[in-house]
Structures are given as C-alpha cells and as structure tokens.
C-alpha cells in the first residue's frame, strides 16, 4: 500500500510538470503570435516581402537590401509560398529563443534592448521614448496608456524606467529571457 501511495505521488508530480510545461508552451505561442501580428501588417495571416521590408526599415538605420529581405523570407518559408505564415514564424521564434538561451549573455541582451529604446541615452526610458518605440513597430497605444504602463512598474516613482524596471516590464509582457538564462546556469531569480 505504501508503494502505491508513492507511485501515486510521482504520477501527480509528473502531471503537474506536464501542466506547467503546457502552460509555458501556450504562453510562448501567445507571445510569438503577438509579435507575428506586428509583422503581419495587413492581418492576412502571413508576412510578405513588403511587410518585412516596412518593419525592417523602421529598425535598420542603414536601409534594407531587397536581396536580404528575399533571403530572410526564403529561410523562414518552409512551404515555398513566398510568404511566412504563423507556424513557420513560430518555429523560427522557438529556435531563436533556444539559440539565445544557449549562446547569448542575457544581461548584455537586456542592456542592448534598453539602449535601443533609450533614445537620448539618458539612462532611463521615458514615456515618450517607449511610446515612440511602440508606435514605431506599428502598434497603437496612447501616450496615456504608456504612462500608466510605466507608472505600474516604476518602483522609484521617477516617471521613467531604469534597466531593472525595464526587465520587470519585459517579464510582465511574457519576455523573461533573463530568468530562463539564470535557470539554465543554475542561478536563482
């Protein structure tokens, strides 16, 4: 009887681990879907050459080369349709997350992301800087909504995000690459 109880506990723990893994997979898929929707400007369910060019032009200061855009689509477009659907994008995203987890310094990645948004290089992300970034990727969020988002995370009450608060923001929106890297290296949150 004692053995059946132990086995039952093991099964319950295994079920709990499966549930946690399933919930994490669903969170990851929702996060990648939100990113995909930014790229899919016309909402047709795929990313075409023009949509990719438009988005890259917002982030690449040195312009975008048409052959590079064609190459990117070719790398992601498993069914050779000329466009990237969500499944193809999601598979790429998962592979990218895996690569980042294994090969990138999460602290450096966080700093790089922070510096991209901190346009004036003042060491803080202001409401205006975050609003400009959000609008720059084609998302509509009012300045008041951005203010409220920052206010909810702003631990020191200065009306802007330092790098620690920016990390909290990323966690809130489902991007916890620092936590994953710490788990991978055996560290703690």
């Amino acid at each position: 009887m004692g053995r059946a109880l132990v086995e039952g506990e093991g099964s319950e723990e295994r079920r709990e681990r499966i549930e946690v893994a399933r919930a994490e997979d669903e969170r990851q898929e929702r996060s990648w879907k939100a990113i995909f929707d930014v790229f899919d400007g016309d909402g047709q369910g795929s990313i075409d050459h023009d949509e990719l060019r438009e988005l890259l032009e917002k982030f690449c200061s040195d312009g975008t080369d048409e052959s590079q855009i064609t190459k990117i689509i070719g790398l992601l477009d498993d069914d050779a349709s000329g466009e990237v659907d969500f499944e193809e994008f999601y598979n790429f995203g998962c592979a990218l997350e895996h690569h980042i987890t294994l090969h990138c310094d999460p602290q450096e990645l966080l700093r790089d992301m922070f510096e991209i948004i901190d346009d004036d290089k003042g060491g803080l992300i202001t409401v205006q800087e975050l609003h400009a970034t959000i609008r720059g990727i084609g998302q509509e969020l009012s300045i008041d909504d951005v203010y409220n988002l920052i206010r909810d995370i702003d631990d020191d009450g200065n009306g802007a995000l330092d790098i620690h608060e920016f990390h909290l923001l990323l966690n809130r929106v489902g991007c916890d690459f620092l936590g994953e890297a710490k788990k991978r290296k055996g560290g703690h949150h």
Side-chain angles (χ1 to χ4, degrees):
M1 184 165 186
R3 182 180 170 136
L5 183 61
V6 170
E7 287 173 1
E9 288 176 358
S11 297
E12 183 63 29
E13 288 173 5
R14 188 170 45 252
R15 275 194 296 274
E16 286 178 23
R17 281 195 309 272
I18 290 169
E19 289 293 322
V20 167
R22 186 175 296 133
E24 177 61 22
D25 288 348
E26 289 170 1
R27 182 212 56 84
Q28 181 183 35
E29 186 170 344
R30 280 192 311 274
S31 295
W32 281 108
K33 178 66 170 128
I35 295 167
F36 178 82
D37 290 345
V38 169
F39 280 82
D40 181 19
D42 62 9
Q44 296 294 312
S46 63
I47 301 166
D48 63 24
H49 189 92
D50 292 336
E51 289 168 325
L52 184 58
R53 180 180 359 88
E54 183 179 322
L55 195 66
L56 290 175
E57 285 173 349
K58 292 177 182 178
F59 292 103
C60 299
S61 59
D62 59 349
T64 53
D65 180 338
E66 292 296 318
S67 66
Q68 289 175 324
I69 295 169
T70 301
K71 184 176 182 180
I72 291 169
I73 288 182
L75 289 170
L76 303 180
D77 181 20
D78 294 334
D79 64 5
S81 66
E83 299 180 339
V84 179
D85 64 25
F86 176 68
E87 183 178 334
E88 293 164 333
F89 187 81
Y90 179 62
N91 290 338
F92 164 75
C94 291
L96 179 62
E97 279 185 344
H98 182 73
H99 175 81
I100 288 171
T101 301
L102 293 177
H103 302 291
C104 295
D105 175 6
Q107 292 289 341
E108 186 177 329
L109 184 58
L110 177 66
R111 275 190 306 279
D112 290 347
M113 292 170 65
F114 184 87
E115 290 172 3
I116 288 169
I117 299 171
D118 180 20
D119 199 37
D120 67 3
K121 307 303 177 214
L124 295 171
I125 295 175
T126 65
V127 171
Q128 293 78 13
E129 289 169 331
L130 186 56
H131 185 250
T133 300
I134 290 169
R135 290 186 59 103
I137 60 171
Q139 297 300 293
E140 291 301 321
L141 198 59
S142 75
I143 194 97
D144 290 336
D145 289 337
V146 174
Y147 170 79
N148 289 329
L149 182 66
I150 287 178
R151 187 187 67 204
D152 289 346
I153 295 173
D154 183 18
D155 287 341
D156 58 15
N158 66 355
L161 300 177
D162 60 29
I163 197 158
H164 168 73
E165 294 162 337
F166 178 63
H167 181 222
L168 293 175
L169 172 66
L170 293 177
N171 287 343
R172 185 169 288 179
V173 299
C175 182
D176 186 19
F177 56 87
L178 281 176
E180 290 303 315
K182 286 180 183 176
K183 284 187 236 172
R184 182 187 78 241
K185 293 180 180 176
H188 305 320
H189 282 304

